[in-house]
């Protein structure tokens, strides 16, 4: 049987599964789910073998909200011996296909973390063995498939592959970011990851650059503002709570103690709107659509805080609110949402208009 394996935040397997099942059914592909609860792993077993690869080719990973990484299975779970593991793996994989890279992965749990030491030790001999038997191509070849080895323990592994142009470049879809000591809150990593995830690096000079104006709604104590300031932007920070002194001293931040839903920028010179207000997600979604359609900002990055129940349904509904409003005014747009690694009970959304905002928007 062929399956798609998806990685998500532990505790969100149900959402991740519901999403892949729904999006597969839109493409008339069906299967059943096997959830590894609180391990951040979902198996989607397709009723028809060839559907796994077809689906992975048709559906961009960036369209999935809850999946961080995925692969199509090549084997069932393989039992590994205590010795000569490399030989056992080479044999299990056969020599029919070649891959450009190898990702050694584990469940995102404490047991999984304990396994990373084992994976690190195995990595060098395994790569050598796979190259020797031509399962891995020479270094530097970044086209083609990526081989995934998901270790459940030192004795059990499953293999699969993803497509280099439709996967996460990070192992398990997790970028490892360093917390900057000068940042006033750990939330800073959320916006750092969001920029890395949603904005291609080659466009940073144009879209994330020094001298731009930004507004940060729900800014205190300033973790997100810090990310804007360190990129040389001038920031209007809106929050009734206090902002970190260190940020205020930069001279790049103007702090207004007021309600983020009531603030209206004086001039139409804001490029970025970022918003991390703890508020009902549908209110935030609506506000973001308003800012973009009124031309108050060019791009918006925001969090939708998730409810306790019906988390997937809530996100879909909130995104639909934005899409409906954009559609009403026939604007072209880009809208992506992702449950990022540094997100918790929230997803991050990026939105921008690709055509001019309507002149008559009320
Ligand atoms: C998660 S914290 C923001 C953390 C911030 N992004 C950081 O990195 O330091 C949420 C903030 O939203 C603010 N907030 C909630 N509702 C708001 C509103 N209606 N207007 C302005 N701020 C609001 C809260 O005061 C709180 O400081």
């Amino acid at each position: 049987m062929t399956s798609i394996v998806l990685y998500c935040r532990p505790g969100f397997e149900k959402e991740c599964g519901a999403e892949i099942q729904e999006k597969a059914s839109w493409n008339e592909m069906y299967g059943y789910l096997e959830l590894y609860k609180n391990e951040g792993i979902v198996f989607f077993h397709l009723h028809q073998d060839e559907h796994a690869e077809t689906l992975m080719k048709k559906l961009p990973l960036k369209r999935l909200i809850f999946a961080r990484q995925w692969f199509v299975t090549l084997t069932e779970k393989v039992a590994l011996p205590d010795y000569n593991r490399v030989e056992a793996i080479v044999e299990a994989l056969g020599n029919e296909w070649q891959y450009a890279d190898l990702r050694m992965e584990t469940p995102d749990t404490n047991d999984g973390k304990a396994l990373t030491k084992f994976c690190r030790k195995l990595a060098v001999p395994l790569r050598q063995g796979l190259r020797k038997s031509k399962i891995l191509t020479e270094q530097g070849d970044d086209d083609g498939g990526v081989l995934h080895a998901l270790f459940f323990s030192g004795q059990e592994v499953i293999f699969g592959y993803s497509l280099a142009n439709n996967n996460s470049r990070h192992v398990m879809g997790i970028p490892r970011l360093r917390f900057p000591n000068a940042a006033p809150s750990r939330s800073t990593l959320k916006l750092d990851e969001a920029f890395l995830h949603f904005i291609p690096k080659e466009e940073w000079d144009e879209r994330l650059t020094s001298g731009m104006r930004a507004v940060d709604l729900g800014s205190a104590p300033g973790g997100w503002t810090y990310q804007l300031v360190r990129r040389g932007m001038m920031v209007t920070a809106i929050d009734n709570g206090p902002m970190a002194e260190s940020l205020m001293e930069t001279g790049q931040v103007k702090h207004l103690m007021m309600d983020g839903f009531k603030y209206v920028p004086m001039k139409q010179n804001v490029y970025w709107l970022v918003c991390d207000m703890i508020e009902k997600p549908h209110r935030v979604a609506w506000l973001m659509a308003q800012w973009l359609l009124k031309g108050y900002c060019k791009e918006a990055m925001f969090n939708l805080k998730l409810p306790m129940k019906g988390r997937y349904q809530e996100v879909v509904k909130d995104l639909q609110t934005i899409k409906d409003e954009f559609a009403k005014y026939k604007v072209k747009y880009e809208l992506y949402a992702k449950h990022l690694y540094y997100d918790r009970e929230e997803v991050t959304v990026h939105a921008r208009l690709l055509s001019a905002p309507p002149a008559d928007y009320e």
Side-chain angles (χ1 to χ4, degrees), residues 203-218:
E203 294 176 25
W204 282 18
D205 278 351
E206 228 178 286
R207 296 170 61 189
L208 261 184
T209 194
S210 165
M212 283 178 161
R213 290 187 182 273
V215 171
D216 182 355
L217 301 179

Side-chain angles (χ1 to χ4, degrees), residues 15 17 27-28 41 64 68 79 159 174 223 226 316 319 339 342 355:
E15 288 71 16
N27 288 285
E28 295 183 359
I41 302 223
L64 291 176
R68 295 172 179 163
F159 294 96
I174 301 178
Y226 172 85
V316 169
L319 295 176
H339 195 203
Y342 291 99
S355 57

Side-chain angles (χ1 to χ4, degrees), residues 312-338:
Y312 174 52
Q313 291 74 6
E314 178 67 40
V315 181
V316 169
K317 195 177 82 190
D318 298 334
L319 295 176
Q320 196 57 47
T321 302
I322 301 176
K323 290 181 198 168
D324 289 347
E325 197 60 7
F326 286 167
K328 210 153 91 188
Y329 290 88
K330 299 191 172 62
V331 289
K332 290 204 181 107
Y333 64 90
E334 208 174 69
L335 180 68
Y336 287 102
K338 199 79 179 174

